[in-house]
Amino acid sequence: MKKILVMGTGGTIVAKSTHMGLSPDEDSGVMQKTLDAFRSYYDIDYKGIMNLDSSNIQPEEWQTIAAYVFESLKTYDGIVITHGTDTMAYTASALTFMLQNLNKPVVLTGSQLPLAHPVTDAVTNLSLALSAVDNEIPGVSIAFHHKVIKGCRAVKVRTMGFDAFESINYPYLAEFKLEGMRRQQCFDWPKGVSGGSPTLKSALSGEVFLLKLIPGSNPHIFDALVQQGYKGVVLEAFGLGGLHHLRRDLSEKIRRLIENGTSVIVRSQCLYEQSDFSLYEAGRKVLQSGAVQAWDMTTEACVTKLMWALGQTRDVCGVRDIFETNYADEITLSVQ
């Protein structure tokens, strides 16, 4: 029987109706009663470490969660983290980088309806998450609506549907069907870069900005980013990775930004498939500016990896090296 810690952070799963709308209201009695139904299959402990709408879970909370997980790995066979859905993919991706060389499952889950709702999806998702630990699904993952998704490949794609998350440019780690959990056997435990025992590397930088380009974006926005002290920018460009350079030359501003010590990561606005800046002149100007292309990484992975990279080094070349390293299949380097 697996010994599992269920770690609560708030979110819809424990939400109750208030005069201001749904709000997390951690009640261990409700959660404990739900978990009691699973205790004949697993040895479960429950601990609520925070009680927040996931919109309020920020880098400081990621560090708190990572520290609790790291300490708990010594005692438990795996960790299930209940979390609001809105920023769950960001948290899962951040934990992927902060918890290096994981050798036990860390599974995030939540729900689109509260536990107390008569047709809640919370119980099914909790069951899936516990099963993911029992089946030793590797690394950090999200268990939701019968699917287990690698944490650094997950994106929330629906606001109201129960199938809220998709795996982007990567197969599901497992799916739950009539015959039970169907695990993709080809997936193994993430080895990190150095290998060895699990390591907590939780230093992060909040000085990261995400900018989505539109036709006619004003190049002076990059001057404002320098003035605001940002040390990293994730830029979402068009298609395979293009940006305009006629009349409003963005590539020159990007080059100056990098020369001033700000790391710039550029990804496509398209959700699926990879960027490739080498095919068009507009894309090659991006590469010539010194920006790093993100290939097939999700926006959530780009943002959290950049925050984590800047927590390890402020050197632009050092950040580039980190982005060109595959830590947990967050990037498909073979596309290069």
Side-chain angles (χ1 to χ4, degrees):
M1 182 181 287
K2 290 287 199 310
K3 187 174 180 61
I4 303 173
L5 174 65
V6 177
M7 183 183 300
T9 66
T12 297
I13 195 168
V14 292
K16 293 185 179 179
S17 295
T18 72
H19 70 286
M20 292 292 289
L22 284 173
S23 178
D25 184 10
E26 202 278 331
D27 181 347
S28 60
V30 176
M31 180 63 77
Q32 292 283 14
K33 184 178 179 180
T34 303
L35 294 175
D36 281 345
F38 299 106
R39 286 194 162 99
S40 59
Y41 305 100
Y42 314 106
D43 181 5
I44 301 173
D45 289 335
Y46 177 77
K47 182 176 180 61
I49 65 169
M50 59 186 70
N51 185 42
L52 296 172
D53 185 298
S54 70
S55 297
N56 285 317
I57 291 184
Q58 300 171 63
E60 296 86 352
E61 282 72 36
W62 297 340
Q63 291 173 318
T64 298
I65 295 169
Y68 269 96
V69 169
F70 183 70
E71 287 302 314
S72 300
L73 288 171
K74 303 169 185 176
T75 306
Y76 296 91
D77 296 311
I79 314 294
V80 170
I81 303 170
T82 58
H83 193 288
T85 60
D86 286 351
T87 63
M88 187 187 293
Y90 283 97
T91 299
S93 187
L95 292 177
T96 297
F97 301 117
M98 291 191 287
L99 297 166
Q100 296 278 301
N101 306 315
L102 273 179
N103 58 5
K104 295 179 181 178
V106 176
V107 187
L108 287 85
T109 194
S111 61
Q112 293 288 68
L113 290 172
L115 266 172
H117 196 284
V119 292
T120 183
D121 56 328
V123 178
T124 300
N125 289 338
L126 275 170
S127 175
L128 180 67
L130 293 167
S131 182
V133 172
D134 195 35
N135 282 271
E136 299 183 355
I137 301 299
V140 178
S141 64
I142 287 178
F144 215 91
H145 195 64
H146 314 299
K147 299 172 290 191
V148 183
I149 303 170
K150 182 173 281 292
C152 54
R153 292 286 188 165
V155 173
K156 186 177 182 183
V157 296
R158 296 177 183 87
T159 59
M160 300 180 70
F162 287 147
D163 52 342
F165 291 89
E166 289 291 344
S167 183
I168 306 302
N169 298 323
Y170 201 84
Y172 298 131
L173 296 178
E175 294 183 77
F176 199 85
K177 297 182 179 294
L178 286 176
E179 69 271 24
M181 180 77 74
R182 180 181 292 176
R183 176 177 170 174
Q184 298 289 347
Q185 295 296 330
C186 58
F187 298 120
D188 203 353
W189 293 95
K191 303 302 181 185
V193 174
S194 59
S197 59
T199 304
L200 177 64
K201 293 187 176 181
S202 60
L204 298 170
S205 170
E207 300 165 325
V208 170
F209 191 83
L210 171 64
L211 176 63
K212 183 172 184 175
L213 293 181
I214 61 171
S217 290
N218 191 327
H220 293 298
I221 187 67
F222 294 104
D223 297 329
L225 295 177
V226 172
Q227 293 169 5
Q228 291 295 318
Y230 285 103
K231 298 301 179 184
V233 176
V234 175
L235 185 65
E236 291 195 341
F238 309 122
L240 282 166
L243 47 79
H244 50 258
H245 53 86
L246 296 178
R247 292 189 298 279
R248 302 173 183 87
D249 187 2
L250 299 178
S251 58
E252 177 60 21
K253 286 290 186 179
I254 292 172
R255 183 184 64 79
R256 293 181 184 176
L257 198 65
I258 294 168
E259 288 177 350
N260 285 330
T262 300
S263 296
V264 179
I265 313 300
V266 187
R267 71 173 305 276
S268 172
Q269 293 178 11
C270 299
L271 191 59
Y272 291 97
E273 301 179 344
Q274 75 272 9
S275 61
D276 188 346
F277 299 159
S278 67
L279 294 182
Y280 292 92
E281 177 187 6
R284 292 192 178 191
K285 286 184 175 292
V286 178
L287 294 179
Q288 291 170 359
S289 72
V292 179
Q293 71 171 307
W295 297 99
D296 64 343
M297 291 177 68
T298 67
T299 295
E300 290 85 346
C302 285
V303 168
T304 54
K305 190 172 185 179
L306 185 53
M307 288 178 169
W308 182 76
L310 289 168
Q312 317 310 306
T313 178
R314 290 302 182 97
D315 178 67
V316 172
C317 293
V319 171
R320 175 183 288 273
D321 289 342
I322 288 174
F323 258 83
E324 293 178 349
T325 300
N326 181 23
Y327 290 86
D329 285 343
E330 74 278 5
I331 184 171
T332 306
L333 292 173
S334 62
V335 298
Q336 300 182 43

